[in-house]
Amino acid sequence: MYDFKNVEKKYNSINIVSCDCQHYSKCEVSCKRPKGRKDYHILYIVKGTCYVYEKGKEIKAQAGSVITYLPGEAQKYTFFPDEKSISYYVHFTGENADNILKELGISKRRVLSIGISSTISSLFDKLITEFQLKRVFYEYYCQGILFNIMAAIARKTSDRTNDIRHETNTRMNEIRKLMHSHFDITKSIDEYAKLCNLSESRFSHIFKEEFGVSPKHYMIKVKIQKAKDLIKDTDLSIFQVAQMVGIDNQNYFSRLFKKHTGLSPNQYRNRL
């Protein structure tokens, strides 16, 4: 049975401290809080750029970015007037807020890029209105809207992550197709990496993560499998087979073939 009491206990202690939508077009506005604040702070950039300074580095939080600060975390960021930036923000407290943000994955990075969302903007507008008018039971309305905002941010983050994974998987499969169709050409790993706009090390890491073997090992497997087919289906000499799979040195080819099949090319042919 679902434990509704635990759910109620977990989510009933969030309190809004302040919230608003700010336009930065008249002057430069900087926030410098070396010791942070006592509450939680979420900003959602809907136009322009917020320049976040983190451990000596500048991070450009462009439109569609979410910036999150936990209590006590140093805050330093700037809005410049020429970019005419617009940002929603909310400050809140709550004994379970930290766990909620972690569970939703919102606090895992200082800046999350989720894209422009009319749904999230609309929710912020509703939150601001409820908080400003303070009508009867507004605290509950505000709490519910804030949960909706955080859940919407988490969902957008998840969607973008899945989109990136899908795109990466598609690119890696295209590379595999190239390896199979160009088995007679020995391309370097760097050449394949450049086709994906990735560094060689990053490409190799992603490839192995996707398919369980390094790209170099996969290319060798493709060549060996094609060589086995050629030995089995044609009367080509071993030297010719080696050349057909893009290996000019017959001795090297024979050693490679035996390493991966347990047999020399001639032994493999004689067993057929």
Side-chain angles (χ1 to χ4, degrees), residues 29-78:
V29 177
S30 293
C31 171
K32 295 179 182 179
R33 301 184 182 116
K35 296 183 180 180
R37 288 177 54 116
K38 293 182 179 180
D39 53 26
Y40 296 83
H41 184 190
I42 292 177
L43 301 96
Y44 178 49
I45 315 302
V46 293
K47 183 181 178 183
T49 306
C50 177
Y51 293 82
V52 180
Y53 303 96
E54 186 80 9
K55 296 178 181 178
K57 296 182 179 180
E58 180 186 87
I59 304 171
K60 291 183 180 180
Q62 298 178 321
S65 296
V66 172
I67 306 164
T68 305
Y69 290 102
L70 303 182
E73 290 186 333
Q75 300 182 15
K76 186 179 180 181
Y77 55 85
T78 300

Side-chain angles (χ1 to χ4, degrees), residues 179 182-187 219-231 236 238-249 252-253 256-257:
M179 289 177 177
H182 296 102
F183 64 88
D184 57 332
I185 301 172
T186 303
K187 281 182 176 288
M219 284 193 293
I220 292 172
K221 284 178 66 177
V222 169
K223 289 178 181 293
I224 295 301
Q225 183 56 55
K226 189 62 182 178
K228 287 166 70 176
D229 293 340
L230 289 169
I231 290 171
L236 292 171
I238 302 305
F239 176 72
Q240 289 173 316
V241 170
Q243 286 192 315
M244 287 289 289
V245 296
I247 301 174
D248 294 327
N249 188 311
Y252 171 70
F253 168 74
L256 199 63
F257 191 94

Side-chain angles (χ1 to χ4, degrees), residues 26-228:
K26 294 183 179 179
C27 62
E28 178 181 320
V29 177
S30 293
C31 171
K32 295 179 182 179
R33 301 184 182 116
K35 296 183 180 180
R37 288 177 54 116
K38 293 182 179 180
D39 53 26
Y40 296 83
H41 184 190
I42 292 177
L43 301 96
Y44 178 49
I45 315 302
V46 293
K47 183 181 178 183
T49 306
C50 177
Y51 293 82
V52 180
Y53 303 96
E54 186 80 9
K55 296 178 181 178
K57 296 182 179 180
E58 180 186 87
I59 304 171
K60 291 183 180 180
Q62 298 178 321
S65 296
V66 172
I67 306 164
T68 305
Y69 290 102
L70 303 182
E73 290 186 333
Q75 300 182 15
K76 186 179 180 181
Y77 55 85
T78 300
F79 291 96
F80 295 103
D82 57 318
E83 300 206 39
K84 302 187 186 318
S85 301
I86 301 174
S87 171
Y88 287 104
Y89 76 86
V90 58
H91 293 279
F92 59 96
T93 61
E95 63 178 281
N96 286 310
D98 195 54
N99 290 331
I100 295 167
L101 290 170
K102 285 180 180 177
E103 186 176 319
L104 294 174
I106 296 173
S107 60
K108 63 182 178 181
R109 289 200 302 272
R110 178 72 68 221
V111 178
L112 292 173
S113 178
I114 64 169
I116 299 297
S117 168
S118 58
T119 298
I120 295 175
S121 294
S122 177
L123 286 168
F124 264 109
D125 287 332
K126 289 178 182 179
L127 177 65
I128 293 163
T129 298
E130 283 294 335
F131 188 77
Q132 289 175 341
L133 296 182
K134 290 181 170 52
R135 293 177 291 188
V136 64
F137 302 127
Y138 80 93
E139 298 98 329
Y140 295 99
Y141 269 94
C142 287
Q143 187 179 117
I145 296 168
L146 179 57
F147 283 137
N148 272 277
I149 288 171
M150 292 191 291
I153 290 170
R155 182 171 288 177
K156 290 287 286 184
T157 302
S158 176
D159 289 345
R160 285 178 74 86
T161 300
N162 289 334
D163 288 344
I164 291 170
R165 283 177 181 164
H166 176 72
E167 182 183 345
T168 300
N169 184 263
T170 299
R171 284 191 293 174
M172 290 299 119
N173 277 318
E174 288 300 319
I175 293 299
R176 283 208 304 173
K177 288 179 185 178
L178 281 175
M179 289 177 177
H180 281 274
S181 61
H182 296 102
F183 64 88
D184 57 332
I185 301 172
T186 303
K187 281 182 176 288
S188 68
I189 305 302
D190 186 55
E191 287 178 282
Y192 284 119
K194 285 177 179 176
L195 292 174
C196 299
N197 296 317
L198 295 170
S199 68
E200 183 177 336
S201 59
R202 183 61 181 158
F203 169 77
S204 296
H205 176 78
I206 294 173
F207 191 98
K208 188 169 184 178
E209 201 173 56
E210 289 286 327
F211 307 119
V213 295
S214 69
K216 181 179 180 179
H217 187 68
Y218 191 88
M219 284 193 293
I220 292 172
K221 284 178 66 177
V222 169
K223 289 178 181 293
I224 295 301
Q225 183 56 55
K226 189 62 182 178
K228 287 166 70 176

